């Protein structure tokens, strides 16, 4: 979601929240449930837009010296989904009281869809495997397309940005182990390594991580260089 769309979503959501507050304060007492439903649902929409506008997080190693990539970008959106579910749940009794059976069913379905789906997704974020792990031994991805590379298999590391949100880091691999030369330790590059024909690179999308591709690349390259030629870090 682009910055303009995120800003519009935030502003529109806040406008409806203001309407809900006005209805809560000045409206008919029987509209209290409706007012809270509007505040919860559109407040969640505003939160989704606001999360997209937040600056990226700093990439840093954990206590074990590893950079663990998790889909933390989804957390704010999923919490907003829970709020949407609560909003739908509060609107359902109001629709029933108004005799609108169809809208009541829609509201209950929304409560189950947003609330239940967001709860399960949040559980997966914090209890499931990470997207990837980059440490002193190499890089490993998890999930259906799990793959593991030792630093000796990596020929070069690249990164880029596809649009405003789709950042990625890519590890170019070689068929044979790579050997660092002793010449010019401070300027390591792919020309200094001997390897076979290149295979498909291991590419990791950073769109869900809220991390800067440049920062992730800098950390990965530092670990890669240290593994291939530890003496290079002493110059």
């Amino acid at each position: 979601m682009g910055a303009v769309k995120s800003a519009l979503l935030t502003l529109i959501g806040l406008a409806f929240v203001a309407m809900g507050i006005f209805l809560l304060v000045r409206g008919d007492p029987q509209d209290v449930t409706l007012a809270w439903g509007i505040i919860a649902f559109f407040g969640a929409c505003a939160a989704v837009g606001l999360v997209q506008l937040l600056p990226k997080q700093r990439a840093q190693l954990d206590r074990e010296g590893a950079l663990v990539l998790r889909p933390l970008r989804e957390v704010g959106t999923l919490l907003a989904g829970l709020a949407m579910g609560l909003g739908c749940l509060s609107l359902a009794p109001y629709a029933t009281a108004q005799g609108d059976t169809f809208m009541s069913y829609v509201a209950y379905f929304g409560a189950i869809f947003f609330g239940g789906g967001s709860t399960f997704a949040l559980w997966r974020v914090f209890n499931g495997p990470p997207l990837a792990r980059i440490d002193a031994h190499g890089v490993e991805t998890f999930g259906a397309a799990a793959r593991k590379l030792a630093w000796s298999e990596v020929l070069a590391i690249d990164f880029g940005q596809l649009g405003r949100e789709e950042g990625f880091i890519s590890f170019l691999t070689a068929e044979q182990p790579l050997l660092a030369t002793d010449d010019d330790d401070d300027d390591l590059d792919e020309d200094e390594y001997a390897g076979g024909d290149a295979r498909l690179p291991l590419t990791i999308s950073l769109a869900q991580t809220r991390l800067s591709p440049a920062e992730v690349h800098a950390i990965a390259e530092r670990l890669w260089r240290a593994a291939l030629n530890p003496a290079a870090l002493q110059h």
Side-chain angles (χ1 to χ4, degrees):
M1 185 183 297
V4 175
K5 292 182 179 179
S6 298
L8 287 175
L9 179 60
T10 301
L11 292 175
I12 293 173
L14 291 176
F16 277 96
V17 168
M19 293 173 58
I21 294 175
F22 179 83
L23 185 62
L24 185 66
V25 176
R26 297 293 185 88
D28 194 292
Q30 66 180 7
D31 294 332
V32 171
T33 302
L34 174 63
W36 280 115
I38 292 174
I39 292 172
F41 185 86
F42 287 101
C45 292
V48 170
L50 185 60
V51 166
Q52 304 301 321
L53 295 173
L54 293 176
K56 293 185 179 296
Q57 295 177 333
R58 298 283 299 179
Q60 55 186 355
L61 300 177
D62 60 17
R63 294 180 179 179
E64 298 178 353
L67 176 60
V68 180
L69 306 180
R70 291 187 178 277
L72 297 181
R73 187 180 186 87
E74 298 180 352
V75 173
T77 302
L78 294 176
L79 290 175
L82 289 176
M84 289 182 181
L86 292 175
C88 290
L89 186 62
S90 64
L91 289 174
Y94 177 83
T96 302
Q98 297 297 316
D100 193 339
T101 304
F102 174 75
M103 186 56 65
S104 176
Y105 286 150
V106 170
Y108 279 121
F109 175 80
I112 296 173
F113 179 80
F114 288 114
S118 297
T119 300
F120 176 74
L122 279 171
W123 179 85
R124 287 292 303 273
V125 167
F126 291 106
N127 294 280
L131 297 174
R133 175 186 172 90
I134 305 172
D135 57 25
H137 304 289
V139 55
E140 181 177 7
T141 59
F142 303 88
R147 188 175 172 187
K148 187 174 183 179
L149 290 176
W151 287 128
S152 58
E153 300 177 80
V154 177
L155 179 66
I157 307 175
D158 195 9
F159 71 99
Q161 194 85 18
L162 300 176
R164 296 182 177 180
E165 302 294 335
E166 299 295 328
F168 67 90
I169 184 168
S170 186
F171 299 85
L172 181 65
T173 60
E175 289 289 345
Q176 300 174 358
L178 308 177
L179 301 174
T181 65
D182 294 328
D183 299 326
D184 196 10
D185 291 336
D186 293 327
D187 296 312
L188 299 176
D189 56 45
E190 60 186 84
D191 294 330
E192 294 184 86
Y193 302 108
D197 296 333
R199 292 184 289 154
L200 290 177
L202 171 58
T203 300
I204 303 172
S205 172
L206 303 176
Q208 300 178 358
T209 65
R210 297 195 58 79
L211 297 175
S212 166
E215 291 186 0
V216 175
H217 173 266
I219 290 176
E221 188 167 80
R222 187 169 72 246
L223 292 171
W224 171 55
R225 292 180 181 225
L228 292 181
N229 196 343
L233 297 183
Q234 300 175 7
H235 292 276

